[in-house]
Amino acid sequence: MDEQLKRSLELHQQNRLAEALQLYEVILQQAHPPVQVFLNSSAIWRSQGKQDKAIECLTRGLQHYPLEPGLWNNLGNCQMDCSATTRAVVAFRKTLALNPGFTDSRISLASCLRELGHAHLAYSTVKDQFCRTKEEAERQKLMLPLVESLLSLAANDKNRLQPEDLEPMVELVEEEIQKDVENSDPCRGGLLMTQLWIQLNQIDRALESRKKLIKSVQQFFKQESNKHFSLKKSFHSQWHGLNWNLGIKCLKEGRFEEGWTLYEHGLQVPAEGAQRWQRSLRKPFLPTEVPFWRGESLAGKRLLLMGEQGIGDSMMFATLIPRLQREGAKITLLPGDRLLKIYHRSLQDIEVISTKDLLENRLKAKDFDLQSPLGSICQYRFTNLSDYG
């Protein structure tokens, strides 16, 4: 082996990436650089967020080594990073044509296909290899993508795959999924298992899975070696969505204590169309200016209640206001301008305010002790069926 190449590989192995890359770049000036240099240098550039340089390097490498599956796979990963999903599919398919057993490339291809809306194709891509392989390590590696593909299939094609078809499979894979991710990615496995139990309408199992997820993530970050990790933005989005869906299931089953607590996540769950969020409201004051009500005594407190995004929701929750008044709260209601006349007439002992009042600064943060969205009061005082009229 060339001394320069040998030294660069040693530096790379020692994680001295800047020094290794310097040597790699020198070697890349040669007429016919070794394939390992294209693979390694592109991997470093990708880790530095320089996908354009990585793609340029891999494209040149493929001119020299067009039948090297590793180069095609790395190119697909870079295209995924750049959200060029269709191009990534082409690269991963080329990888698998050259090496059908390239598991990482198969998993990435399935992810791209799901993103493009091809749920059945994504499922087949993973399932076929899962059924073929006898290697336990590879089966475990394919397990999570298989579950992800099944979830996507169930969500997009309910007429062909019903929850009862999923349940036996879920019970079969749950233990393997936990083993597969417990040391590397507790978030992903826990999210998937909870989503699956929600899909199957198994509320108790979903709630238990959610508890396990919280516990495993806490334990993961308590370990000194994991303190530099941070949860991805996508995890937070999935977490809020999962809790919102589970909360709605609980409420439909009359499980109000759990359901109303989880209902809070709707404030951070996107919705399709003009609505934008599942729950949305005008926030006239920051929590640092007026604290949110968390269930404490309301005796003598000045409470600002803010309407929900939907008129129907606001009207439904507004029927609960008298209970808070009986506790001694002085209520100010911001119901939304379309409801102003109704509530001016029907709630004469409550101050009903408009958007105009806020814009003209007629109300200040000092006028209130606490604030709350209307839909958030249920978790603190209305957790039994008998609490409702």
Side-chain angles (χ1 to χ4, degrees):
M1 183 186 293
D2 178 88
E3 282 300 317
Q4 216 170 27
L5 176 59
K6 183 179 177 182
R7 178 59 182 157
S8 63
L9 294 175
E10 286 174 356
L11 289 168
H12 198 151
Q13 194 171 22
Q14 295 166 10
N15 206 34
R16 295 161 66 179
L17 301 184
E19 295 170 76
L21 187 57
Q22 264 189 326
L23 276 178
Y24 286 146
E25 289 188 285
V26 172
I27 299 170
L28 285 171
Q29 301 306 313
Q30 298 174 8
H32 197 78
V35 66
Q36 192 66 42
V37 177
F38 289 108
L39 289 167
N40 290 4
S41 54
S42 64
I44 294 174
W45 274 316
R46 184 185 174 217
S47 71
Q48 294 175 346
K50 298 176 181 176
Q51 274 74 12
D52 54 340
K53 296 202 73 170
I55 290 172
E56 182 184 340
C57 174
L58 291 164
T59 303
R60 185 183 162 211
L62 285 166
Q63 292 171 358
H64 293 281
Y65 305 97
L67 301 181
E68 171 53 52
L71 291 172
W72 285 106
N73 180 68
N74 285 12
L75 180 60
N77 288 330
C78 290
Q79 300 288 15
M80 280 182 73
D81 293 342
C82 298
S83 299
T85 311
T86 304
R87 290 183 182 180
V89 167
V90 173
F92 292 132
R93 289 189 66 185
K94 183 68 175 178
T95 306
L96 293 172
L98 294 167
N99 180 4
F102 204 132
T103 303
D104 287 341
S105 198
R106 187 172 294 275
I107 291 169
S108 298
L109 174 59
S111 177
C112 289
L113 291 170
R114 287 196 302 275
E115 187 177 328
L116 292 170
H118 303 302
H120 279 280
L121 197 52
Y123 176 55
S124 298
T125 297
V126 180
K127 182 190 173 188
D128 290 348
Q129 184 66 14
F130 182 81
C131 294
R132 275 198 302 265
T133 186
K134 301 299 180 185
E135 295 181 18
E136 186 60 29
E138 188 175 4
R139 285 174 68 84
Q140 285 197 357
K141 204 171 189 180
L142 288 163
M143 189 70 70
L144 278 174
L146 179 62
V147 175
E148 287 174 325
S149 297
L150 272 164
L151 270 172
S152 177
L153 199 59
N156 291 292
D157 199 359
K158 293 179 181 177
N159 293 324
R160 295 185 61 181
L161 187 66
Q162 298 297 327
E164 56 266 26
D165 301 319
L166 279 172
E167 187 159 2
M169 183 278 298
V170 177
E171 292 177 342
L172 176 69
V173 304
E174 183 171 23
E175 186 177 340
E176 287 194 53
I177 282 183
Q178 294 303 332
K179 281 192 298 185
D180 186 32
V181 299
E182 63 183 2
N183 295 320
S184 59
D185 192 351
C187 313
R188 187 175 170 215
L191 282 171
L192 284 174
M193 289 314 307
T194 310
Q195 286 169 352
L196 275 170
W197 289 126
I198 293 171
Q199 181 78 34
L200 295 169
N201 290 313
Q202 298 283 336
I203 294 178
D204 286 326
R205 283 175 156 174
L207 288 166
E208 183 60 32
S209 182
R210 177 181 177 275
K211 285 181 184 176
K212 285 182 183 176
L213 169 59
I214 293 171
K215 186 176 179 181
S216 63
V217 171
Q218 288 173 340
Q219 289 175 340
F220 181 80
F221 284 104
K222 278 181 182 176
Q223 298 174 28
E224 192 64 36
S225 58
N226 297 328
K227 287 188 176 178
H228 66 285
F229 282 98
S230 61
L231 292 173
K232 293 181 180 178
K233 193 174 181 180
S234 59
F235 172 82
H236 290 284
S237 176
Q238 290 175 54
W239 169 248
H240 290 305
L242 176 149
N243 283 284
W244 168 252
N245 291 329
L246 183 53
I248 297 301
K249 293 268 187 187
C250 287
L251 291 173
K252 286 180 178 179
E253 294 292 322
R255 301 175 65 154
F256 297 122
E257 187 170 353
E258 296 143 325
W260 288 127
T261 300
L262 295 170
Y263 190 74
E264 285 300 283
H265 290 270
L267 293 165
Q268 300 182 69
V269 176
E272 294 181 5
Q275 184 172 311
R276 194 177 174 203
W277 303 101
Q278 295 292 348
R279 290 180 63 199
S280 183
L281 62 153
R282 187 177 184 87
K283 306 177 186 69
F285 304 111
L286 296 171
T288 51
E289 297 175 299
V290 181
F292 280 110
W293 181 48
R294 301 299 185 194
E296 63 267 37
S297 171
L298 288 171
K301 298 294 184 181
R302 299 165 301 168
L303 176 63
L304 171 64
L305 292 176
M306 299 162 285
E308 298 285 323
Q309 182 161 254
I311 285 181
D313 288 349
S314 291
M315 295 181 76
M316 177 176 67
F317 293 124
T319 63
L320 306 175
I321 291 176
R323 162 79 178 269
L324 306 184
Q325 288 178 289
R326 289 196 293 271
E327 289 189 29
K330 180 184 177 183
I331 306 288
T332 299
L333 177 63
L334 175 62
D337 290 348
R338 286 185 291 175
L339 293 175
L340 275 175
K341 291 183 179 179
I342 293 174
Y343 285 117
H344 270 305
R345 291 195 301 268
S346 60
L347 298 176
Q348 296 179 4
D349 53 346
I350 287 176
E351 184 179 9
V352 182
I353 61 174
S354 67
T355 304
K356 186 178 179 182
D357 294 326
L358 295 173
L359 292 174
E360 294 178 355
N361 292 317
R362 294 178 188 171
L363 296 152
K364 309 287 186 185
K366 63 182 178 60
D367 297 325
F368 306 102
D369 301 306
L370 299 163
Q371 63 176 323
S372 177
L374 268 173
S376 299
I377 66 178
C378 301
Q379 61 188 308
Y380 302 119
R381 295 292 188 273
F382 305 91
T383 56
N384 296 304
L385 187 59
S386 58
D387 294 325
Y388 300 89

